[in-house]
Amino acid sequence: MIEIKSRGQLEAMRASGLVVARTLALLASHTKAGVSTAELDELAEQSIRDAGAIPSFKGYHGFPASICASVNQQVVHGIPSRTQVLVEGDLISIDCGAILDGWHGDSAITVPVGAVTEAELKLSDATRASMLAGIEAAVPGGRLSDISFAIESATILAGEEHGVEYGIVEGYGGHGIGTKMHMDPFLPNYGKPGKGPRLKVGMAIAIEPMLTLGTERTVELDDGWTVVTADDSRAAHWEHSVAITDDGPWVLTALEGA
């Protein structure tokens, strides 16, 4: 069953989404060479708790931190560490979640550490553009796979413009969100349009493409969490929690005016 929220419940989700948005903006401003991913995690937890919220990742199925910090070839679920110190040229994806008054917000950004290659900047831009295309497709009356198709189409278009073929990571994708962080439906980042559940007002979906500069295949490390590209190519990850409304997609995890 897909959870349908009232307008008031979506507004409560917006409040949790703003906690996440402000935390990610703070982390982006502190992401620089010489900073460890553990320091970013501590900053995130303090930001979330200062807002009266709870980090939704910490303790989730045993995950030990408040953010996922995935560096370079790490795609998702990277565990923050004091030994993972950022250096010039790194590309880090930061995924963050918060619970406020029982409602979840979930969002991710990719941040360059100092000067990175043009190819890596374009990779991040392509991933964000694919996310935005998916958001535009989150409208009442459509089908779930319309969002998948929009993400895939935008990825292909960006690859053609950039002269590369981006890998769309297999097996990982978006999800319903609300009273839990991960809910039905699962949202693939590729697929044919017109399939899956009908999109209805009151649904909320986390839309999160993950692209690579190489393969779509991944490997999970022995820590049981960190997912890396099978060919060590670099990866990017962007995510927003989005509500479906009569007025079009409402991005619950964007800063005001974003």
Side-chain angles (χ1 to χ4, degrees), residues 123-140:
L123 168 68
S124 180
D125 289 345
T127 310
R128 184 174 183 274
S130 297
M131 174 190 68
L132 294 176
I135 291 170
E136 288 181 6
V139 294

Side-chain angles (χ1 to χ4, degrees), residues 1 10 24 42 58 77 114 124 159 161 175-176 182 194 196 200 208 229 239-240 247 255:
M1 297 294 293
L10 290 178
L24 284 174
E42 291 168 357
K58 194 164 190 177
H77 305 162
S124 180
E161 291 176 349
H175 50 88
H182 292 120
K200 298 179 181 180
E208 51 175 325
T229 55
E239 175 184 16
H240 271 311
D247 299 321
L255 289 172

Side-chain angles (χ1 to χ4, degrees), residues 50 61 70 80 103 105 120 131-132 141 148 150 169 172 178 191 202 229-230 249 255:
D50 284 350
H61 294 297
S70 305
W103 294 98
E120 288 157 357
M131 174 190 68
L132 294 176
S148 306
V169 172
Y172 296 87
T229 55
L255 289 172

Side-chain angles (χ1 to χ4, degrees), residues 50-248:
D50 284 350
I54 300 168
S56 51
F57 292 5
K58 194 164 190 177
Y60 182 75
H61 294 297
F63 190 76
S66 297
I67 60 170
C68 297
S70 305
V71 182
N72 297 333
Q73 77 275 18
Q74 297 174 353
V75 182
V76 286
H77 305 162
I79 300 174
S81 169
R82 296 207 177 279
T83 61
Q84 178 79 73
V85 178
L86 299 175
V87 299
E88 184 88 6
D90 279 344
L91 193 68
I92 179 173
S93 295
I94 306 171
D95 196 351
C96 179
I99 313 166
L100 184 64
D101 297 327
W103 294 98
H104 287 256
D106 186 9
S107 184
I109 59 175
T110 294
V111 184
V113 181
V116 301
T117 68
E118 183 179 4
E120 288 157 357
L121 287 177
K122 287 182 175 179
L123 168 68
S124 180
D125 289 345
T127 310
R128 184 174 183 274
S130 297
M131 174 190 68
L132 294 176
I135 291 170
E136 288 181 6
V139 294
R143 294 282 187 180
L144 183 69
S145 73
D146 295 346
I147 301 174
S148 306
F149 180 70
I151 292 169
E152 182 180 16
S153 298
T155 298
I156 293 170
L157 178 60
E160 291 172 348
E161 291 176 349
H162 299 164
V164 299
E165 184 175 347
Y166 293 118
I168 303 177
V169 172
E170 291 181 343
Y172 296 87
H175 50 88
I177 186 169
T179 51
K180 297 180 181 178
M181 180 165 59
H182 292 120
M183 309 181 74
D184 288 335
F186 174 71
L187 174 66
N189 287 318
Y190 47 84
K192 296 180 179 180
K195 299 182 181 296
R198 184 78 66 183
L199 300 176
K200 298 179 181 180
V201 171
M203 289 182 177
I205 301 174
I207 297 174
E208 51 175 325
M210 290 146 266
L211 304 183
T212 79
L213 283 173
T215 184
E216 68 279 359
R217 294 181 298 108
T218 60
V219 176
E220 185 178 273
L221 298 186
D222 290 342
D223 63 18
W225 286 102
T226 309
V227 176
V228 301
T229 55
D231 61 358
D232 285 333
S233 60
R234 292 204 170 185
H237 177 204
W238 282 85
E239 175 184 16
H240 271 311
S241 298
V242 181
I244 296 171
T245 79
D246 282 323
D247 299 321

